[in-house]
Amino acid sequence: MTLSRAARLLRAVTIAVIVLWSMAPVGLGILTSLSTQTDIQAIPVRWLPAHPTLDAYRSLLSGTSAIRAGGTVSESGAFAHAVGNSASLTLISTLAILCVAVSAGYAFARLRFPGRDALFWVIVTTIVVPVFTIVLALFQIMADAQLIDRELGLVLVFLSTTTPLAMWLIYNHVKELPTEPEEAALIDGCTRWQAFWHVVLPQMRSGIAALSAIIVLLVWGEFLIPLLLTSTSATKPVTVLIPEYVGKYTTNYPLLAAAGVLALLPPALIALVLNRHIRGMLSGSS
Amino acid sequence: MNTGIPTRETDTGGTSSGRAKPVDLATRETARAGLLLVAPAVIITAVLVLYPLVKGFQTSLESADTAAGGTPHFVGLRNYGDVLSSSTARDAIVHTLLYAALAVTLELVFGLVVAMTLYRVFRGRGIVLAILILPWALPSVLSGVLWRRVLDPDRGLLNSLLEQLHLVSHPHVWLASRGGALVFITLVHVWGVLPLVSLILLAGIQSIPEEVYSASAVDGATPLRQFRHITLPLLRPSIAVALTVGTVWAIKIFDEIYVLNGTALNTRSILMEVYTITFVDADFAHGTALAFLLTALTMLFAAAYAVALRRSTT
């Protein structure tokens, strides 16, 4: 089908708007992070920094930001520490959720066993329950078990809130894979385990890549769960630390933006590199 | 239940009658493997989801004065009644429904525009699609933080722009009025969820066979008529899914409100009210009751869309 010239122009304009709209806060964040407080205070407003500088990044990473941020940054190196917390939490949670979800998703999609349908629907139904309702109840159990402000506690909560959705996504992926390779392996004398490990898992490669990316994005970006379950810099991830930079009366925007931009880098890279896989999984089954 | 990985040897050892029937053997092995593979997910759901939910529900039925040293006692649905008659909670429910209605409308309209624009092949489509999902991939607190500079009342970019264009004479405190604040917070929320809705609709449009369009084009149908009479009806299942996803995400709106306006009363959502009751007022009983009301509301919407979806596909 061919488009008329007017239609093509309209489409080009719409595409430009989509791209601009999608990148606007990030672009603005980068510009702000390169500005100085003078640029921010300037009247009339200065969209581009007069003298671009990396000062905000420097003070953020070297920990000399206490005075500049109006006293909101209490410890030196707090930001780097929070990045480390986020990374470790994301890595451990993702691995744990991935193992549980992939094995269950495969079994529900391919194997026959007693109680399969009932168990499947119970797990899938819990996806709709708002995370907060579960976390609220978990909070008291965690407090009793002394798991507040500990990484293990956070990992358990992420397992609880993310496993059902992850299982559902990978289940749909397995359902779409051809069954012939596994059947052939079984006829050739493989056990179920061998067939799963050597035939089906390699088939699921793109699905597992997409799922890992989605879990990483969910865990890295989660705010409410760590907001409730962390209290010290030993466990606080970036998503909880950065909003603390917002001052009550004035905000050091360059510093805030620099922190935001740095914390956005990992998810942005993952989204750009694995975007084809992620799109496939999100549009196919959510 | 099983303790180790079942192998052929243990299987044959365990069966008394099925030794001669390889089919039975395979079935048993499969059943065992299946149960073992789903066991971790089932245990996690039972221990970390269902058990806390039951415990939480119990909390919501007990008296709230435990903080004062009293022992909790059963009060039935009184906490639910208290919450529903509190004016801040009622406001929060109204705000949440407003957020959801506005967000879902915007997501559906703009999602359709995005999907209709991007479903054909063109040069650079891959890059545009990669950029499209960026807002969904980025943490909502961080994008909220980055939007702040736009909405800041003193030196905000929006106020400055409007002043330069002489559209306003003095800076406007965008997040202070109820209407303006709700709209801006919704926009920041929509920024993050629109990619997901667009992708769902895009997949739906791409599954419509091209022949349907070419046949109707021969009959002289204009693009607009094609959209109304072919695309929209065939897209109904995808629209139902998009509505569900959009509503479920909007009902639990929290992050955007927290970073843009804190716990301010004029923008409080249900979840923000739950947060305030539970963690600021330290009243778990009422907080949990409201959280369960939120759960019921979410499930109600999800069920309604599921019914609508079933009706439209059969």
Side-chain angles (χ1 to χ4, degrees), chain B residues 188-209:
Chain B
V188 175
H189 174 81
V190 168
W191 185 79
V193 180
L194 185 61
L196 192 57
V197 171
S198 307
L199 284 181
I200 292 166
L201 296 175
L202 185 63
I205 290 179
Q206 278 171 333
S207 69
I208 301 173

Side-chain angles (χ1 to χ4, degrees), chain B residues 119-132:
Chain B
Y119 86 94
R120 284 200 184 85
V121 182
F122 59 87
R123 206 147 25 104
R125 181 169 180 268
I127 301 168
V128 174
L129 286 173
I131 292 172
L132 175 73

Side-chain angles (χ1 to χ4, degrees), chain B residues 157-174:
Chain B
L157 298 175
L158 186 63
N159 271 331
S160 309
L161 189 71
L162 292 179
E163 275 178 76
Q164 276 174 325
L165 296 172
H166 301 290
L167 289 172
V168 294
S169 51
H170 52 87
H172 203 86
V173 186
W174 296 107

Side-chain angles (χ1 to χ4, degrees), chain A residues 232-283:
Chain A
T232 62
S233 59
T235 48
K236 229 176 245 180
V238 273
T239 46
V240 177
L241 180 73
I242 292 177
E244 291 176 6
Y245 290 174
V246 176
K248 208 167 189 142
Y249 305 104
T250 55
T251 301
N252 183 338
Y253 277 109
L255 188 85
L256 184 67
V261 168
L262 287 182
L264 290 178
L265 275 182
L269 280 178
I270 289 172
L272 289 178
V273 172
L274 291 173
N275 82 85
R276 220 163 41 84
H277 298 289
I278 298 174
R279 271 190 280 129
M281 184 159 270
L282 288 181
S283 57

Side-chain angles (χ1 to χ4, degrees), chain B residues 171-191:
Chain B
H172 203 86
V173 186
W174 296 107
L175 295 167
S177 71
R178 180 185 291 215
L182 288 179
V183 169
F184 278 113
I185 289 171
T186 307
L187 280 179
V188 175
H189 174 81
V190 168
W191 185 79

Side-chain angles (χ1 to χ4, degrees), chain A residues 59-115:
Chain A
S59 56
L60 187 69
L61 294 172
S62 65
T64 53
S65 44
I67 311 128
R68 297 182 192 211
T72 45
V73 185
S74 49
E75 295 153 76
S76 65
F79 182 75
H81 199 89
V83 171
N85 288 342
S86 280
S88 152
L89 179 65
T90 306
L91 204 71
I92 297 173
S93 304
T94 304
L95 279 176
I97 295 165
L98 210 56
C99 291
V100 176
V102 167
S103 55
Y106 159 77
F108 279 125
R110 287 278 172 89
L111 307 182
R112 234 175 241 280
F113 52 89

Side-chain angles (χ1 to χ4, degrees), chain A residues 1 3 11 14-15 18-19 21-23 25-26 28-29 32 39-47 100 103-104 106-108 111-114 119 122-123 125-126 128-130 132-134 136-141 156 159-160 163-164 190-193 196 214 217-218 220-221 223-224 227-228 239 242-243 246 251 253 256-257 260 263-264 267-268 271-272 275 278-279 282-283 286, chain B residues 5-6 8 29-31 33-38 40-42 44-45 48-53 55-56 59 113-114 117-118 120-122 126 128-139 141-142 145-150 152 155 157 160-161 164 187 191 194 196 199-200 203 210 213 226 241 245 254-255 258-259 271 274-275 278-279 284 287-288 291-292 294-295 298-299 302:
Chain A
M1 235 163 91
L3 290 169
R11 191 180 66 176
T14 319
I15 291 171
I18 294 171
V19 170
W21 164 256
S22 304
M23 309 229 306
V26 183
L28 188 66
T32 308
D39 293 315
I40 306 291
Q41 308 277 339
I43 299 173
V45 70
R46 213 179 278 162
W47 292 82
V100 176
S103 55
Y106 159 77
F108 279 125
L111 307 182
R112 234 175 241 280
F113 52 89
L119 290 174
V122 168
I123 296 180
T125 308
T126 64
V128 195
V129 179
F132 200 106
T133 313
I134 302 169
L136 210 55
L138 271 173
F139 187 85
Q140 289 173 306
I141 299 172
L156 286 176
L159 263 173
S160 150
T163 303
C190 279
T191 63
R192 270 287 170 189
W193 296 96
F196 173 55
I214 290 171
L217 295 176
L218 288 176
W220 182 276
F223 173 61
L224 188 53
L227 177 72
L228 300 181
T239 46
I242 292 177
V246 176
T251 301
Y253 277 109
L256 184 67
L264 290 178
L272 289 178
N275 82 85
I278 298 174
R279 271 190 280 129
L282 288 181
S283 57
S286 46
Chain B
I5 293 170
R8 273 207 173 196
E29 190 199 278
T30 304
L35 282 170
L36 209 65
L37 283 169
V38 300
V42 170
I44 285 171
T45 309
L48 292 176
V49 180
L50 297 178
Y51 171 68
L53 281 179
K55 276 279 277 199
T59 308
V113 172
V114 172
T117 309
L118 299 181
R120 284 200 184 85
V121 182
F122 59 87
V128 174
L129 286 173
I131 292 172
L132 175 73
I133 67 161
L134 214 50
W136 176 80
L138 302 181
V141 257
L142 300 187
V145 154
L146 296 179
W147 281 106
R148 272 190 76 94
R149 201 188 151 204
V150 177
D152 193 301
R155 296 278 174 267
L157 298 175
S160 309
L161 189 71
Q164 276 174 325
L187 280 179
W191 185 79
L194 185 61
L196 192 57
L199 284 181
I200 292 166
E210 187 71 20
Y213 290 108
Q226 285 185 334
V241 175
V245 170
F254 181 88
D255 301 7
Y258 187 94
V259 284
L271 209 50
V274 174
Y275 171 80
T278 322
F279 293 96
F284 267 81
T288 316
F292 273 98
L294 175 69
T295 310
T298 313
M299 293 197 142

